Amino acid sequence: MTPTARRRNAAPPREAVLAAAMDTIARRGLDGLTMAGLGRDVGMSSGHLLYYFRTKDELLLQTLEWSESRRGAERRALLSRQVAVRERLDAYVDLYVPDGHRDPHWTLWLEVWNRSQVAADEIRDRQAAIERAWHRDLVALLAEGISRGELRAVDPDRFATRLRALLDGFCVHVVVGIPGTGRAQVLRHVREFIEDTLV
């Protein structure tokens, strides 16, 4: 086999496939993501993709995990800055809230969670791990702010649970495009809530 033929038959790196899947969701939405189309984008057959991912559900979950790993790195960088806790809390909220209607990351997140209703426990555990990372970082940030006297004394875990529930509800409204709940309005609501309850 010639070097050219080997390159043509070699599977692209997993990250390239996941990045291409996310790009397709951003450009054409979830309905535009098919195994055949993704295969064409990355130079693989749909059968080859199924060999690696087994099902479209697994492809979607791995794409979400890949996207979350990138967002997790960004979140940790924001939260490790040497600035006031309140400023870092705003940065956390900014990163959490969708960019707008049809935000690709949130579109994928909603689809994966919707499919999880009938998923195996192992799949649900992987999804829950994504949520735990966001929760853990928020609890640590709140605890730091409380210990420094920058935030009101609350139970960090309970407050984080409530704040994330508020964020999730607003974020779903943003990504599905409910009128009156755009990104700017949601950020304003959440910041007012934080001011009223924590500061």
Side-chain angles (χ1 to χ4, degrees):
M1 184 182 289
T2 67
T4 302
R6 275 197 298 273
R7 280 197 301 275
R8 190 169 51 246
N9 293 333
R14 175 179 163 276
E15 186 164 333
V17 174
L18 301 176
M22 199 66 179
D23 182 61
T24 298
I25 294 168
R27 288 184 292 109
R28 299 199 295 266
L30 276 163
D31 289 344
L33 178 63
T34 64
M35 288 299 207
L38 181 60
R40 283 192 300 274
D41 290 344
V42 297
M44 293 173 67
S45 69
S46 55
H48 204 166
L49 282 174
L50 284 170
Y51 174 78
Y52 284 104
F53 296 104
R54 300 189 308 278
T55 65
K56 186 174 180 180
D57 284 1
E58 179 63 22
L59 169 66
L60 293 175
L61 179 53
Q62 285 196 34
T63 303
L64 181 62
E65 289 172 327
W66 170 79
S67 178
E68 277 292 336
S69 71
R70 295 161 62 90
R71 289 168 68 89
E74 185 177 355
R75 184 177 67 245
R76 288 187 295 275
L78 287 170
L79 298 184
S80 65
R81 293 179 303 153
Q82 298 302 306
V83 297
V85 168
R86 182 70 177 86
E87 188 174 333
R88 283 179 278 154
L89 186 54
D90 282 343
Y92 176 99
V93 171
D94 282 343
L95 185 62
Y96 203 106
V97 175
D99 288 336
H101 182 214
R102 296 183 178 172
D103 176 286
H105 180 85
W106 267 89
T107 298
L108 177 58
W109 184 91
L110 288 173
E111 180 68 17
V112 168
W113 277 100
N114 186 50
R115 290 171 182 242
S116 75
Q117 296 176 75
V118 293
D121 288 345
E122 181 265 336
I123 299 296
R124 294 167 66 88
D125 288 344
R126 287 165 60 193
Q127 292 169 303
I130 293 169
E131 299 301 311
R132 283 194 299 271
W134 282 93
H135 186 76
R136 183 180 57 244
D137 286 350
L138 180 55
V139 169
L141 183 62
L142 293 171
E144 180 186 343
I146 293 163
S147 69
R148 291 183 172 186
E150 294 181 40
L151 303 177
R152 184 179 299 169
V154 296
D155 180 321
D157 186 71
R158 285 171 57 85
F159 191 89
T161 297
R162 293 172 179 173
L163 177 57
R164 289 190 56 247
L166 177 73
L167 283 165
D168 285 345
F170 273 133
C171 291
V172 170
H173 286 200
V174 172
V175 80
V176 300
I178 293 178
T181 53
R183 176 178 166 83
Q185 292 99 319
V186 165
L187 291 174
R188 188 162 56 249
H189 279 304
V190 174
R191 285 172 180 151
E192 286 174 3
F193 172 76
I194 290 170
E195 287 291 329
D196 291 344
T197 57
L198 271 186
V199 180

